[in-house]
Amino acid sequence: MTHVIGILGAADRHGLTAEMLQAVLDAAGHQGCTVETIFLADEDLRLTDFRKANPAIAQLSHKLHAADCLVLASPTYWGSISGMMKNFLDCMHHELVSFTKKGERRPAGLRGRGYVLVTSCFTSAFENCITGATDRTFQAMDVPLAVAGMHRIGEAVCTGTWGMTELPDSKKADCEKLGQRIPEKLKQGGFLLKRYIELFFMLALTVLVVMGIQQGLSALHLLNLSNFWINYAIFVLLAYLLLASILHYVAMRMHKRH
């Protein structure tokens, strides 16, 4: 049976972020998953030398290894995750990854599991769409889990929460849909194949655009296509710049903003 663990990085276990997390977990539970919530505010997690025994980290790590999917929920504070969520990820560093003799990170025991990210913020939906205020929050949770070899299933964000006392029905519905997808996404797998397909289309788009630019420059008599090496050098340069821009956009901007 699929086991889903929610991790709340907020002081208020009845706040809006907690409501979002609970909506995800309830929906997953209705799909037959077993669910559990870890309240970081109740955990005595202290970052210590990883070479020394730390019972609190070991106990929490044991729980995480029993999960098929993690749901990390943190409000957005100062443009990033809460301090307790940051502390949790720091404490779990050596549980999420192992290191080679050269200090290179390698996925550890949670490799292949799924994860969902949830956040809330005071910033309005319009402002968040323009500035991406919650992007860094998602990135701060996304990067450690991705490096650990885990696969992102989805995200949920609630904006404009200043003065809000109850989670809007539309946002609750978004969280419930996300929770409902968890067992299906884990069963389907194919995360690596999806990334290869996405990369294929990025490359195809890059080649198409660069070839179009070259043809345009040739029509303006600014580029001699008969010269192989000049043509090749310009193609490589333009393809590199365009593909780098696309990858940067996908990595930095493709987070849910409303």
Side-chain angles (χ1 to χ4, degrees), residues 16-17 20 74-77 118-122 134 156-159 161:
L16 295 174
T17 307
M20 295 176 71
S74 170
T76 294
Y77 292 153
V118 173
T119 191
S120 62
C121 66
F122 290 160
T134 56
V157 58
C158 182
T159 55
T161 59

Side-chain angles (χ1 to χ4, degrees), residues 18-140:
E19 285 188 45
M20 295 176 71
L21 174 60
Q22 193 59 51
V24 173
L25 295 178
D26 286 345
H30 292 153
Q31 296 299 311
C33 302
T34 58
V35 298
E36 178 182 0
T37 305
I38 295 174
F39 299 97
L40 294 181
D42 297 340
E43 300 291 330
D44 186 23
L45 287 179
R46 298 183 183 182
L47 187 60
T48 58
D49 188 335
F50 71 93
R51 290 164 295 191
K52 297 180 180 179
N54 188 318
I57 292 178
Q59 182 179 7
L60 191 54
S61 176
H62 179 72
K63 285 186 177 182
L64 299 186
H65 279 77
D68 298 293
C69 179
L70 302 181
V71 184
L72 269 62
S74 170
T76 294
Y77 292 153
W78 297 107
S80 189
I81 54 177
S82 66
M84 63 180 70
M85 181 60 76
K86 177 66 166 60
N87 181 59
F88 162 75
L89 292 170
D90 286 344
C91 288
M92 291 294 115
H93 191 181
H94 289 271
E95 308 299 324
L96 295 172
V97 297
S98 59
F99 291 84
T100 65
K101 292 181 179 179
K102 294 183 179 179
E104 298 172 338
R105 292 186 180 95
R106 293 288 184 270
L110 294 178
R111 182 173 186 172
R113 316 293 173 85
Y115 66 91
V116 171
L117 305 178
V118 173
T119 191
S120 62
C121 66
F122 290 160
T123 307
S124 69
F126 176 77
E127 183 181 349
N128 197 41
C129 285
I130 300 300
T131 64
T134 56
D135 284 1
R136 284 187 294 175
T137 302
F138 284 131
Q139 289 161 17

Side-chain angles (χ1 to χ4, degrees), residues 193-204 243 247:
L193 177 61
K194 179 182 176 181
R195 291 182 181 179
Y196 279 130
I197 292 174
E198 290 173 346
L199 181 59
F200 170 79
F201 281 106
M202 289 179 198
L203 288 172
L243 185 58
L247 290 173

